[in-house]
Amino acid sequence: MAVYLATMVIGVTSVVLARQRILAETHLIRANSVAEAMQKALLRPIPSAVGPLRAAGFYQAGEGGAQVGGDLYDLVRTPFGVRVILGDVRGKGLGAVETVSSVLGCFRVAAYEWADLAHLAERIELGITRAMQGVADDAELFVTAVLLEFPESVSRAPEVRVVNRGHPPPLVVGCPDGPYWLSTAPAPPLGLGHLFPGHAQVTSHPLTAIEVLVVYTDGVTEARDSSGAFYPLRDRLADHFDGQVTNPAVIASFVQHDTERWCSDSPDDRALLAIALADEHQ
C-alpha cells in the first residue's frame, strides 16, 4: 500500500508540475507577442524609401531578451519635408520605455504642426515634461536627441537642417576626403532646456547624391572590445569604404555586424540610421 500510495503521489505531482510548465510556457509566448507588438508600435520598421530619401538602419536592445530599450527613432514625411528623430533616453527598464513612448508620440503629432525645427524640439520637450509629471526621479529625466529635416524638393539645393539636443554629431560618409562629422550648434538634452536661454539653433548643411548621413546613439560609439577600447565608428567606416560610393543599407549592415564583432556582449542599446538622397542610378 505504501508503494501504491507513493506512486499515486508522484503521478499527481508530475501532472501538476507539467500543467504549471505548460501554463508558464503559454504565458511566456503571450508576453513575447505583446512585447513584439509594442516594439512594432513604438519603433516602426525603417522604410527603404521616404519622400526624396533612401534610408536603412538597425536597433538592438541592450538588455538580454528585451525588444525595446531606451533608444528611439522615427522618420515621417510632413508638409515641411521629411523629418527624422533619433535619441537616447537616460536610464533603462520600463521607465525608459515609457519615456520613449512619450517622445515618439509627441514627435509623430508635432512634426506635422510646427514649421520650425527648433520649435518642434521644444514641443517634444514640453510633451516629455507633461508626461513625466509626478513620476519619481523626473527631475533627472532627459533625452539626448538629434532632429533632421530634409526639404521635400532636393533637386536644386539639397541640404539637411539639424537641431542637436546634446547628442553625438551626425557623420557623413561618401565624400572623397573620407567621413566627417557635421558641425552642429550646442544645446542641452530634451528635458534640460531650462538650462539654455532662448531657442536651439538650426544648422544647415549641403548634401550630395553620393553622401550618406549617419546618425546613431552612443551605444554604437561606446561599445568596448575586450581591451576596453571604444568602437571607432568614423575610422572603421573610412577604412572599410575608403571613398567608395555606397548606399544606406550597406553602411547600416556593416556597422551592425562590425559592432557585434567588436563587442558581442554590450549592456547598452544600439541604434543607427543611414540616410541618403534618392538616386535612380544607385
Side-chain angles (χ1 to χ4, degrees):
M1 291 297 296
V3 173
Y4 290 147
L5 182 60
T7 303
M8 182 180 66
V9 171
I10 293 173
V12 171
T13 303
S14 299
V15 171
V16 172
L17 291 176
R19 183 175 181 275
Q20 289 297 113
R21 178 179 59 81
I22 293 173
L23 291 175
E25 291 177 350
T26 302
H27 177 75
L28 180 60
I29 292 173
R30 290 176 178 173
N32 288 337
S33 298
V34 171
E36 184 177 357
M38 182 177 66
Q39 181 189 34
K40 291 180 178 179
L42 290 180
L43 302 174
R44 300 167 179 169
I46 300 169
S48 59
V50 51
L53 306 176
R54 295 170 295 141
F58 67 87
Y59 175 86
Q60 294 174 314
E63 294 188 11
Q67 299 193 51
V68 179
D71 287 357
L72 60 96
Y73 66 84
D74 204 1
L75 305 87
V76 294
R77 190 177 186 179
T78 76
F80 314 108
V82 177
R83 287 178 160 176
V84 180
I85 185 171
L86 183 135
D88 184 0
V89 176
R90 170 195 171 271
K92 297 180 182 295
L94 294 178
V97 175
E98 183 179 357
T99 306
V100 167
S101 176
S102 298
V103 172
L104 291 178
C106 188
F107 170 77
R108 288 165 182 169
V109 174
Y112 293 87
E113 299 176 344
W114 294 85
D116 184 79
L117 198 62
H119 290 162
L120 170 60
E122 293 171 2
R123 180 62 185 85
I124 296 173
E125 182 169 44
L126 178 60
I128 296 174
T129 303
R130 290 175 176 174
M132 295 297 106
Q133 285 180 350
V135 177
D137 200 30
D138 61 349
E140 299 182 4
L141 173 67
F142 62 86
V143 181
T144 68
V146 59
L147 287 90
L148 311 175
E149 181 180 273
F150 299 86
E152 185 67 27
S153 177
V154 296
S155 57
R156 294 184 178 179
E159 66 173 9
V160 58
R161 293 189 279 268
V162 183
V163 167
N164 191 334
R165 299 295 300 266
H167 202 76
L171 181 66
V172 178
V173 182
C175 57
D177 295 332
Y180 65 92
W181 308 106
L182 282 189
S183 176
T184 60
L190 299 172
L192 300 178
H194 58 281
L195 302 177
F196 185 82
H199 302 297
Q201 181 180 345
V202 180
T203 56
S204 299
H205 305 273
L207 287 178
T208 66
I210 64 172
E211 293 177 326
V212 179
L213 183 68
V214 179
V215 288
Y216 51 90
T217 58
D218 59 11
V220 174
T221 52
E222 293 182 2
R224 297 174 181 262
D225 64 7
S226 57
S227 67
F230 290 120
Y231 179 74
L233 176 62
R234 179 182 178 276
D235 293 340
R236 298 291 286 183
L237 289 173
D239 294 341
H240 185 77
F241 294 103
D242 192 22
Q244 301 175 30
V245 177
T246 186
N247 60 65
V250 174
I251 290 178
S253 177
F254 167 75
V255 176
Q256 180 177 9
H257 293 95
D258 199 41
T259 51
E260 289 175 353
R261 289 189 294 266
W262 184 273
C263 178
S264 59
D265 184 18
S266 174
D268 293 330
D269 304 324
R270 293 198 290 262
L272 178 143
L273 292 176
I275 305 168
L277 303 178
D279 188 341
E280 62 182 4
H281 301 295
Q282 293 186 11

